[in-house]
C-alpha cells in the first residue's frame, strides 16, 4: 500500500505541474497535444520496445493479464446490452457508450500507472493488442453500419490499427524477446541508447500532458444531460453516468471476480483490477467525433473517469495490496 501511495503521489505532483503550466499561461492551452504526439510517435514506442524485449513474456500470458483482457471484453459487451436493449439508445450511441465503458487508457495512463504502482508495463501489452486489433476495428464496423458515414475507403478504416506505432512497438519488442536478442549488445548499442533516452521521457511527458489537458478542457461535463431519446426510447437513464459507473465500478469488479475464478489473490489479483480501473481512453472521443455520434458522452466520460480513477485504485490497493 505504501508503494501505491508513493507512486500515486508522484503521479499527482507531475500532473498538477502540467495543469499549473497551462493554468498560469506559461504554456498555451493546446500544449498537451504536442506532448501527446511526441509520446505516441516516439517516446512510448521506444519504452514499449525496451520493456517487452527484456520482459518475462510468461507474465504477459499469465492469468493476471487474461483476467484483465476478459474483464474489458465483458465490460464492453454488457455495456452494449445495457445501452442498446435496456436504455434503448440508438445503435451508434450505444456503440460509443459501450467503448466508453470499457476501452482503457492503456498507453498514456496505463503504462505510467503500471510502472509506478505495479513495477512493470508488461501487463499492458495484451490490452493494447486487444484494443488495437479487435475492439477498434469492431467499433469502426458497427459505427460505419449505424451511421452510413464510413470513410472514403473501408480498407483504410479497417487497416487503421496497422498504422499505429504502438502496435508495431509491441510487435518489435516481443520479436526481439523471442529471438533472445539483447538490444544492449555492442552491435546494437547505439540503438539501445536511443531507445533508452526516448523511453526515459515517456512517463513524465504523459503525466504532464494529462495535467495540461485537464487545464485546457473546453468546459465542465454535461453532468448527465441526455441526447434526445428518439422514438424507440422506453426507459429513463443517463448514458453518461451509466458509462462512468460501468468503467470505474463494474469493470474493476468484473476483473476481480474473473481473477478470483482463475485462482488469483493478493498482489496478483491487484494487477487486473488496476488495469480495469484505468480511465476511458482519449481515442474514444476521436472515434465519436469521426462519426459525429455522442461526442459529449465520450468527452465527459473521459474527463470524469480520469478524475475518478485514483480513488478506485487506492481502494483496490487497500483491499488487495
Amino acid at each position: 500500500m505504501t508503494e501505491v501511495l508513493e507512486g500515486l503521489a508522484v503521479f499527482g505532483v507531475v500532473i498538477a505541474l502540467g495543469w499549473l503550466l497551462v493554468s498560469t499561461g506559461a504554456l498555451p492551452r493546446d500544449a498537451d497535444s504536442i506532448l501527446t504526439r511526441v509520446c505516441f510517435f516516439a517516446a512510448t514506442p521506444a519504452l514499449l520496445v525496451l520493456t517487452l524485449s527484456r520482459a518475462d513474456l510468461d507474465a504477459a500470458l499469465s492469468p493476471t493479464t487474461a483476467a484483465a483482457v476478459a474483464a474489458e471484453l465483458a465490460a464492453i459487451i454488457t455495456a452494449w446490452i445495457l445501452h442498446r436493449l435496456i436504455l434503448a439508445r440508438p445503435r451508434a450511441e450505444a456503440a460509443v457508450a459501450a467503448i466508453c465503458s470499457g476501452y482503457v487508457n492503456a498507453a498514456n495512463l496505463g503504462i505510467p500507472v503500471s510502472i509506478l504502482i505495479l513495477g512493470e508495463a508488461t501487463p499492458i501489452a495484451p490490452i493494447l493488442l486487444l484494443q488495437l486489433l479487435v475492439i477498434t476495428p469492431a467499433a469502426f464496423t458497427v459505427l460505419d453500419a449505424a451511421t452510413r458515414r464510413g470513410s472514403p475507403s473501408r480498407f483504410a478504416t479497417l487497416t487503421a490499427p496497422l498504422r499505429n506505432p504502438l502496435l508495431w512497438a509491441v510487435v518489435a519488442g516481443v520479436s526481439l524477446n523471442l529471438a533472445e536478442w539483447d538490444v544492449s549488445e555492442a552491435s546494437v548499442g547505439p540503438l539501445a541508447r536511443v531507445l533508452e533516452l526516448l523511453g526515459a521521457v515517456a512517463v513524465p511527458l504523459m503525466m504532464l500532458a494529462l495535467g495540461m489537458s485537464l487545464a485546457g478542457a473546453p468546459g465542465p461535463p454535461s453532468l448527465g444531460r441526455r441526447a434526445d431519446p428518439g422514438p424507440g426510447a422506453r426507459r429513463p437513464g443517463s448514458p453518461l453516468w451509466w458509462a462512468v459507473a460501468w468503467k470505474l465500478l463494474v469493470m474493476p469488479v468484473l476483473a476481480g471476480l474473473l481473477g478470483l475464478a482463475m485462482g488469483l489473490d493478493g498482489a496478483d489479483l491487484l494487477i487486473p483490477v488496476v488495469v480495469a480501473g484505468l480511465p476511458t481512453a482519449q481515442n474514444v472521443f476521436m472515434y465519436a467525433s469521426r462519426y459525429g455520434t455522442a461526442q459529449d458522452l465520450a468527452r465527459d466520460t473521459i474527463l470524469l473517469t480520469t478524475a475518478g480513477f485514483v480513488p478506485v485504485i487506492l481502494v483496490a490497493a487497500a483491499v488487495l495490496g
Side-chain angles (χ1 to χ4, degrees):
M1 183 64 178
T2 302
E3 292 80 2
V4 173
L5 289 173
E6 289 176 353
L8 288 175
V10 172
F11 196 85
V13 169
V14 181
I15 290 174
L17 177 59
W19 179 86
L20 189 64
L21 288 171
V22 171
S23 297
T24 59
L27 292 174
R29 297 183 71 83
D30 61 349
D32 64 291
S33 63
I34 302 298
L35 291 189
T36 299
R37 291 178 68 84
V38 171
C39 289
F40 183 75
F41 288 105
T44 304
L47 179 61
L48 282 172
V49 170
L50 279 176
T51 300
L52 294 175
S53 68
R54 298 166 176 172
D56 176 6
L57 292 184
D58 288 341
L61 302 174
S62 66
T64 58
T65 52
V69 167
E72 179 159 347
L73 288 173
I76 290 175
I77 292 169
T78 54
W80 162 264
I81 293 171
L82 168 70
H83 287 272
R84 181 63 177 150
L85 302 182
I86 298 176
L87 299 180
R89 306 309 303 156
R91 188 165 41 151
E93 183 184 325
V96 172
I99 55 177
C100 280
S101 304
Y103 196 112
V104 304
N105 192 332
N108 287 351
L109 278 180
I111 291 174
V113 167
S114 292
I115 290 174
L116 289 172
I117 295 177
L118 304 176
E120 58 173 338
T122 305
I124 293 297
I127 296 294
L128 277 171
L129 291 176
L130 170 71
Q131 294 185 164
L132 294 173
L133 296 180
V134 177
I135 296 174
T136 297
F140 283 174
T141 299
V142 171
L143 288 168
D144 272 346
T147 63
R148 293 183 173 84
R149 292 180 57 185
S151 64
S153 167
R154 185 172 293 274
F155 175 80
T157 295
L158 296 179
T159 58
L162 299 179
R163 295 188 293 278
N164 190 312
L166 301 182
L167 170 63
W168 293 112
V170 171
V171 171
V174 171
S175 298
L176 289 170
N177 193 306
L178 293 175
E180 299 182 350
W181 190 11
D182 185 359
V183 295
S184 300
E185 291 179 358
S187 59
V188 288
L191 174 60
R193 286 193 289 274
V194 170
L195 293 175
E196 288 169 354
L197 185 64
L198 289 172
V201 302
V203 171
L205 286 185
M206 284 186 276
M207 291 190 289
L208 282 171
L210 174 59
M212 293 174 185
S213 69
L214 293 176
S222 54
L223 298 180
R225 183 182 66 241
R226 295 185 65 195
D228 292 336
R234 296 187 298 275
R235 303 178 68 122
S238 164
L240 171 62
W241 292 115
W242 278 112
V244 171
W246 223 256
K247 181 71 212 59
L248 292 182
L249 299 177
V250 174
M251 187 170 167
V253 169
L254 285 172
L257 293 175
L258 288 166
L260 288 172
M262 295 178 185
L264 302 176
D265 60 14
D268 288 337
L269 185 57
L270 181 62
I271 293 175
V273 174
V274 166
V275 172
L278 291 169
T280 304
Q282 291 96 328
N283 304 44
V284 176
F285 179 72
M286 180 182 70
Y287 302 159
S289 299
R290 177 174 185 170
Y291 289 94
T293 299
Q295 289 133 295
D296 286 351
L297 171 62
R299 183 201 68 207
D300 294 350
T301 303
I302 292 165
L303 180 61
L304 290 172
T305 56
T306 300
F309 85 99
V310 171
V312 173
I313 291 177
L314 284 175
V315 171
V319 174
L320 302 173

